[in-house]
Amino acid sequence: MTPQGRPTPDPTGAGVPVAGRPAWAEVDLGAVAHNVAVLIERVAPAQVCAVVKANGYGHGAVSVARAAVGAGASWLAVALVDEGVELREAGLDAPVLVLSEPRPEEMARVVAEGLTAAVYTLEGITALAEAARVAGVVARVHLKVNTGMNRVGAQPGEVLTLARALDADPALRLEALWTHCAVADEPDHPFTAEQLDRFRAAVVELEAAGLRPPLLHVANSAAALVHPEARFDLVRAGIAVYGIDPAPALAGVAALQPALSVRAHVTHVKQVGAGERVSYGLRHEFDADTTVATVPLGYADGVPRRLSGVGGEVLVGGRRRPIVGVITMDQLMVDCGDVPVAVGDEVVLIGRQGDEAVTANEWGDRLGTIGYEVVCGIGARVPRVYLGA
Ligand SMILES: Cc1ncc(COP(=O)(O)O)c(C=O)c1O
């Protein structure tokens, strides 16, 4: 690191990318490990499943998965079979749960890669059993019950029938019953208790039939942090692993460290006079002489075009300065005011600089969305640089 805390260019990939634009996303794997440790301590004796779908919420699935497992996560979870295969190809051998039921034609791959499928239809169960039989293995499955989110999952009235079908097939083993919370990030919302009641009723029904699986799991990050009764045997934590509060209402509920920052170097600096305007549409007029810096990141990189219109700020020289004019595809402009700035200076879009920090949730609040969408949206062409690997 340079004295300014700027990563040193390094042909091996650590620090500012040598080729291309001076713009990058830094992922602090030490923060990921810290967050997993915080979760483990909070939810024990329940275990932690680190959710690394969507390329690890934009952070890089393989690197995050390695850091999470290294810090004690016992499970990984993904949305897609392809995402599970990526983990296996990188050498990760922890159990990997595929959170939505794979299509019948994907089941052979699920079995071949040793992934654990969520199931909730007879068609899925039949296809998985067939694939397991062909491969000569017993496939473990996690049966999902819909307790009111109404996205995916078997209806409560179907659970016993599906569990019986699983139990009757020697190629399958029912390892878990699970569900997903719709409003755990609103701590006072009564519907979480309602979902837990419906889940426990399904467990009792399976127990009465002698079919209770060894694992029960319900909680996402918010539930894991603030609803102890939702922890059961395993919590599926995504956003907290990345150090982002699951909702503004839960800010500070655990000592999480944000893992991702988005940084760039100023590529151009100019003085502009009062009355001049900036960017497409000339929508922003400067009311005083000022210094404008150009930053090589734009909406094609996941910096939403309208962030400038809703008060979006960056950090430069350790101070907050406004993004001015509409954000273009590859570049944006910052009114630096009296902050001294030169080509090559570091600008922080998300992350910390000096005593100031801009969080993904701050963008989310400004844009009427959530930190999840912000970090997942950081574009593929922004190189990820890993610290603490
Ligand atoms: C089924 C399921 N479980 C767990 C998670 C992790 O949620 P969070 O990132 O809020 O911890 C997700 C993410 O959307 C999910 O879809």
Side-chain angles (χ1 to χ4, degrees), residues 125-368:
I125 289 170
T126 308
L128 181 58
E130 182 54 27
R133 246 187 304 283
V134 168
V137 299
V138 175
R140 295 175 300 169
V141 300
H142 288 210
L143 177 58
K144 183 170 193 187
V145 53
N146 168 29
T147 52
M149 170 137 167
N150 288 318
R151 182 171 62 175
V152 292
Q155 293 303 95
E158 302 167 335
V159 166
L160 184 56
T161 307
L162 294 178
R164 284 199 168 119
L166 286 163
D167 188 54
D169 198 318
L172 300 176
R173 182 168 153 247
L174 178 58
E175 184 174 51
L177 182 74
W178 68 289
T179 193
H180 190 48
C181 294
V183 287
D185 57 342
E186 298 172 49
D188 299 328
H189 201 301
F191 196 63
T192 300
E194 172 73 36
Q195 285 194 273
L196 289 172
D197 283 347
R198 293 180 191 178
F199 182 70
R200 281 186 289 257
V203 175
V204 166
E205 196 182 11
L206 293 193
E207 253 162 12
L211 296 174
R212 188 194 193 282
L215 293 178
L216 304 175
H217 56 95
V218 172
N220 55 5
S221 295
L225 292 172
V226 299
H227 293 288
E229 68 284 14
R231 290 177 191 147
F232 294 93
D233 303 303
L234 184 70
V235 303
R236 304 181 311 272
I239 202 75
V241 166
Y242 306 98
I244 299 170
D245 298 318
L250 299 181
V253 77
L256 303 173
Q257 294 174 1
L260 183 91
S261 62
V262 177
R263 295 165 192 269
H265 287 170
V266 170
T267 51
H268 198 63
V269 175
K270 71 209 72 72
Q271 304 303 314
V272 299
E276 287 201 58
R277 291 169 175 267
V278 63
S279 198
Y280 290 122
L282 299 175
R283 295 201 192 137
H284 177 83
E285 180 178 329
F286 296 100
D287 54 14
D289 295 354
T290 191
T291 304
V292 172
T294 301
V295 176
L297 282 168
Y299 61 76
D301 303 300
V303 186
R305 185 169 180 270
R306 57 198 187 82
L307 183 61
S308 58
V310 292
E313 295 175 326
V314 302
L315 306 179
V316 53
R319 284 168 55 189
R320 283 176 173 267
R321 296 302 307 167
I323 303 171
V324 282
V326 296
I327 292 168
T328 70
M329 190 182 292
D330 320 298
Q331 305 181 81
L332 58 85
M333 276 66 79
V334 177
D335 182 347
C336 294
D338 60 0
V339 176
V341 63
V343 168
D345 284 355
E346 185 186 81
V347 175
V348 174
L349 284 85
I350 294 175
R352 179 166 285 284
Q353 193 185 54
D355 295 333
E356 281 285 356
V358 175
T359 63
N361 276 337
E362 175 181 322
W363 281 29
D365 288 347
R366 291 191 192 282
L367 293 160

